[in-house]
Amino acid sequence: MNTNDAKEYLARREIPQLFESLLNGLMCSKPEDPVEYLESCLQKVKELGGCDKVKWDTFVSQEKKTLPPLNGGQSRRSFLRNVMPENSNFPYRRYDRLPPIHQFSIESDTDLSETAELIEEYEVFDPTRPRPKIILVIGGPGSGKGTQSLKIAERYGFQYISVGELLRKKIHSTSSNRKWSLIAKIITTGELAPQETTITEIKQKLMQIPDEEGIVIDGFPRDVAQALSFEDQICTPDLVVFLACANQRLKERLLKRAEQQGRPDDNVKATQRRLMNFKQNAAPLVKYFQEKGLIMTFDADRDEDEVFYDISMAVDNKLFPNKEAAAGSSDLDPSMILDTGEIIDTGSDYEDQVIKI
Ligand SMILES: Nc1ncnc2c1ncn2[C@@H]1O[C@H](COP(=O)(O)OP(=O)(O)O)[C@@H](O)[C@H]1O
């Protein structure tokens, strides 16, 4: 087995997340017998059904869970601050963050790990200026995230970032780099790129954008862990647009896209994998943002102009409540706006999309 195989194995089996979680448990519980404690944690992992069921706080006891992500309280950063010893010699204090799991991950021996740490030391947005409004657009593969995000960006004069595109560009521009070759393979099989790398790419991109009024990010976050990381490292989004689309419709659109664009990750296997990942992650992600009152859900089974009509009404209301409707919106009928903050009944098999792929 070569190094790449070993790293790919670790990434696929979600071993870095497991170690992060065990480390969190140890830091919070400080057990007399760490070996016995780790044994009991691993037993719990088995009972839960495997590494992919482990979250960063699985082994943090209830009373120590100072992070209440679902009711808008303390951020992960402050949680970490609380569990870190006050001693300034503590090695990880500098970043107020967990010890980097990079040792175990494909981030470790690559050129970007240093950049990633450097970037962590800076605020993404200039604190002396108003922060740009951030709209995150999420939905299944083929739900129209790209199309709708571009339309939002165009209508409000916001900057557009496609996370999938960002990763693809990076892969093309660093084709001889081992880390990015591995990420290319991961993406081609329909899996998600590693979280820290993805966040770092987004941060780098955001830091290059000068003084925008707003930014639309297409395809982020894909799961609750990414949402937490974004809030921890970048900011709380102003609005999350969720494009709900029936599973069958997603499959049809992906087939069509495969014919038209020939993207390497639009093959049948990868498409199934992406739909499966979406199915697993969408419901908790939507619930997470719902409980924060940040998400609006749109029936994306419809014609793209109808979908955009609803989105633009919602953005007007949520982000520009005191302004006259944005240019070009005079033809919009406010009575058509969808109920906000709730999963809508699309009248089709939206549930199917999340539950039965
Ligand atoms: N937020 C993300 N986190 C990790 N990987 C991502 C993320 N966004 C995109 N990717 C990777 O890029 C691929 C293509 O994404 P994208 O272009 O948005 O297409 P789609 O969402 O339609 O599958 C995804 O399947 C995934 O491998």
Side-chain angles (χ1 to χ4, degrees), residues 3-4 7 102-103 105-117 170 174 176-183 194 196-197 200-201:
T3 319
N4 273 353
K7 287 176 176 178
H102 301 166
Q103 297 95 297
S105 81
I106 63 169
E107 323 265 343
S108 61
D109 62 351
T110 64
D111 51 347
L112 260 189
S113 57
E114 271 180 31
T115 323
E117 285 188 1
K170 187 78 186 193
T174 49
S176 55
N177 174 298
R178 282 192 303 140
K179 168 178 164 175
W180 284 96
S181 309
L182 179 56
I183 292 176
E196 280 309 313
T197 306
T200 301
E201 287 306 309

Side-chain angles (χ1 to χ4, degrees), residues 141 145 163 168 187 191 193 219-220 222 226 257 263 274:
K145 297 187 297 289
V163 176
R168 282 190 289 276
I187 291 181
E191 298 291 350
F220 191 93
R222 302 272 170 161
Q226 288 195 353
R257 188 168 83 186
R263 246 170 58 177
R274 274 146 72 216

Side-chain angles (χ1 to χ4, degrees), residues 137 139-146 160 162-168 171 183-184 186-195 197-199 202 217-223 226 254 257 261 263 265-266 270-271 273-275 277:
V137 180
S143 59
K145 297 187 297 289
Y160 165 74
S162 154
V163 176
E165 199 54 44
L166 210 57
L167 296 169
R168 282 190 289 276
I171 287 166
I183 292 176
I186 292 175
I187 291 181
T188 308
T189 59
E191 298 291 350
L192 292 179
Q195 175 171 310
T197 306
T198 308
I199 292 266
I202 296 173
I217 305 181
D218 156 15
F220 191 93
R222 302 272 170 161
D223 56 25
Q226 288 195 353
L254 285 172
R257 188 168 83 186
Q261 297 182 7
R263 246 170 58 177
D265 61 339
D266 274 344
T271 298
R273 189 69 231 166
R274 274 146 72 216
L275 286 166
N277 280 338

Side-chain angles (χ1 to χ4, degrees), residues 197-312:
T197 306
T198 308
I199 292 266
T200 301
E201 287 306 309
I202 296 173
K203 281 166 93 174
Q204 279 179 330
K205 180 76 188 172
L206 290 173
M207 287 165 115
Q208 288 163 6
I209 297 175
D211 298 343
E212 286 288 336
E213 195 185 345
I215 299 167
V216 187
I217 305 181
D218 156 15
F220 191 93
R222 302 272 170 161
D223 56 25
V224 175
Q226 288 195 353
L228 283 168
S229 189
F230 188 85
E231 283 196 78
D232 179 32
Q233 298 188 47
I234 301 175
C235 66
T236 299
D238 297 277
L239 176 65
V240 181
V241 167
F242 175 50
L243 300 174
C245 191
N247 189 39
Q248 190 50 36
R249 190 61 61 91
L250 294 180
K251 286 181 182 161
E252 286 163 14
R253 289 183 185 167
L254 285 172
L255 269 178
K256 201 167 155 199
R257 188 168 83 186
E259 281 166 18
Q260 289 169 350
Q261 297 182 7
R263 246 170 58 177
D265 61 339
D266 274 344
N267 62 69
V268 175
K269 253 188 149 173
T271 298
Q272 278 171 350
R273 189 69 231 166
R274 274 146 72 216
L275 286 166
M276 191 59 78
N277 280 338
F278 172 69
K279 175 193 145 191
Q280 275 173 0
N281 297 326
L285 182 61
V286 169
K287 185 163 181 277
Y288 172 76
F289 282 128
Q290 265 182 329
E291 296 193 15
K292 293 187 146 241
L294 292 173
I295 198 163
M296 292 183 183
T297 302
F298 301 89
D299 172 3
D301 268 354
R302 300 168 298 157
D303 172 80
E304 65 183 57
D305 289 335
E306 282 179 53
V307 179
F308 184 63
Y309 178 95
D310 289 339
I311 294 177
S312 51

